[in-house]
């Protein structure tokens, strides 16, 4: 049996949420998607997530949510992290950090899809533990019945993302990268059966610098004078991958990049 998972990159602000709302039903029906996973660390005005926006994203048809280094930026999310079972925090944060390390979605056909998220350490400000050891620890605790596992490596360095992909090859279904907001063209099935891509790309306004107003960013880069990096509006796109997984082994059969272009009024 085959199961299709749609993984969508960092939702950035209102343009990202709008393109998710418009694009998700189209992609789900066109490709026969069974499970939708999104990274929502930039959903609230470009940084963090709130209770209200969490509800809206789930209503769009999302089954599992990952976050990243901006996870605790908005305090409104803490109660969601405490009580909801479909959103995860990075596994290599301190053990007392709010949120769960693993979330499992059961499809209507009875297949379980587990997701976990991990932060990279290279060029990242968050003080995180060894991502390799942290993922290994959580995988060892996984119920044996769960065959399909998706890992979000939220990291700056392409090298660290690739290294984690190789480390997990054959042990998980999918390793996708987030955080850098730019889609990479290196999607492939690794030799032992794990689908891999270095970055899904953000879902948000591409007429921007990584989702932020480009004139503000250019100004600050040229003058060293700080300015608020508001979320941009133009050229919203939804970016991600669709992975087909064999349900008995949990290994990937195919991976393809997808993109949905929308407009913001
Ligand atoms: Fe991030
Ligand atoms: Fe991000």
């Amino acid at each position: 049996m085959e199961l299709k998972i749609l993984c969508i990159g960092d939702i950035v602000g209102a343009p990202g949420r709008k393109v998710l709302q418009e694009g998700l039903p189209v992609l789900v029906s066109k490709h026969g998607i069974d499970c939708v996973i999104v990274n929502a660390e930039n959903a609230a005005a470009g940084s963090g997530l709130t209770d209200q926006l969490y509800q809206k994203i789930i209503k769009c048809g999302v089954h599992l949510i990952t976050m990243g280094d901006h996870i605790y930026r908005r305090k409104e999310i803490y109660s969601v992290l405490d009580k909801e079972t479909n959103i995860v925090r990075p596994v290599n944060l301190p053990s007392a950090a709010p949120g769960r390390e693993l979330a499992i979605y059961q499809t209507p056909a009875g297949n379980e899809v587990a997701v976990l998220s991990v932060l990279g350490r290279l060029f990242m400000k968050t003080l995180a533990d060894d991502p390799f050891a942290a993922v290994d620890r959580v995988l060892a605790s996984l119920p044996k019945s769960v065959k399909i596992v998706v890992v979000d490596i939220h990291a700056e360095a392409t090298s660290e993302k690739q290294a984690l992909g190789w480390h997990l090859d054959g042990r998980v279904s999918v390793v996708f990268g987030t955080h850098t907001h730019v889609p990479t063209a290196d999607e492939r099935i690794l030799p032992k059966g794990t689908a891999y891509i270095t970055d899904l790309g953000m879902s948000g306004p591409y007429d921007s610098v990584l989702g932020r107003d480009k004139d503000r960013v250019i100004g600050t880069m040229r003058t060293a004078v700080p300015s608020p990096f508001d979320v941009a509006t133009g050229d919203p796109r939804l970016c991600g991958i669709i992975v087909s997984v064999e349900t008995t082994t949990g290994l990937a059969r195919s991976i393809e990049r997808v993109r949905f272009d929308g407009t913001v009024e």
Side-chain angles (χ1 to χ4, degrees), residues 13-236:
R17 301 193 309 266
K18 189 162 187 290
V19 79
L20 176 76
Q21 196 172 19
E22 291 170 355
L24 197 50
V26 177
L27 293 174
V28 166
S29 74
K30 184 176 168 192
H31 297 278
I33 301 298
D34 301 291
C35 176
V36 179
I37 302 173
V38 307
N39 183 300
E41 71 144 5
N42 304 106
S47 192
L49 180 63
T50 63
D51 186 1
Q52 196 187 26
L53 294 178
Y54 160 83
Q55 304 292 349
K56 278 191 178 172
I57 287 170
I58 293 295
K59 276 205 186 97
C60 289
V62 170
H63 303 114
L64 296 164
I65 295 179
T66 58
M67 297 291 286
D69 52 319
H70 293 305
I71 181 168
Y72 303 128
R73 200 57 71 98
R74 298 288 294 261
K75 64 180 185 307
E76 300 95 313
I77 199 61
Y78 296 175
S79 61
V80 172
L81 291 170
D82 279 344
K83 69 172 187 274
E84 301 295 348
T85 58
N86 54 8
I87 179 168
V88 289
R89 72 153 169 86
V91 295
N92 52 345
L93 292 176
S95 57
R100 59 177 49 240
E101 295 186 324
L102 194 65
I104 297 173
Y105 168 67
Q106 186 162 19
T107 69
N111 293 300
E112 292 177 307
V113 180
V115 73
L116 63 94
S117 137
V118 64
L119 291 178
R121 291 186 294 186
L122 299 179
F123 312 116
M124 299 286 283
K125 286 182 192 149
T126 307
L127 287 173
D129 293 336
D130 174 0
F132 299 85
V135 173
D136 288 349
R137 173 179 57 76
V138 176
L139 289 180
S141 73
L142 206 62
K144 284 275 179 285
S145 62
V146 179
K147 300 281 183 230
I148 302 166
V149 182
V150 179
V151 176
D152 176 352
I153 167 68
H154 194 81
E156 190 73 39
T158 50
S159 58
E160 196 172 18
K161 292 172 167 179
Q162 286 190 348
L164 191 81
W166 287 114
H167 180 67
L168 296 175
D169 184 21
R171 297 198 285 144
V172 302
S173 314
V174 187
V175 176
F176 65 75
T178 55
H179 178 72
T180 40
H181 289 202
V182 178
T184 57
D186 63 337
E187 74 280 5
R188 61 172 157 166
I189 311 279
L190 297 174
K192 293 177 185 167
T194 296
Y196 174 82
I197 188 167
T198 297
D199 204 291
L200 297 175
M202 68 170 179
S203 293
Y206 275 71
D207 183 7
S208 71
V209 175
L210 308 185
R212 305 295 178 150
D213 183 305
K214 58 185 187 293
D215 294 329
R216 295 270 180 85
V217 177
I218 293 167
T220 293
M221 285 183 172
R222 293 190 66 215
T223 63
V225 175
S227 61
F229 289 170
D230 293 338
V231 171
T233 54
D235 191 16

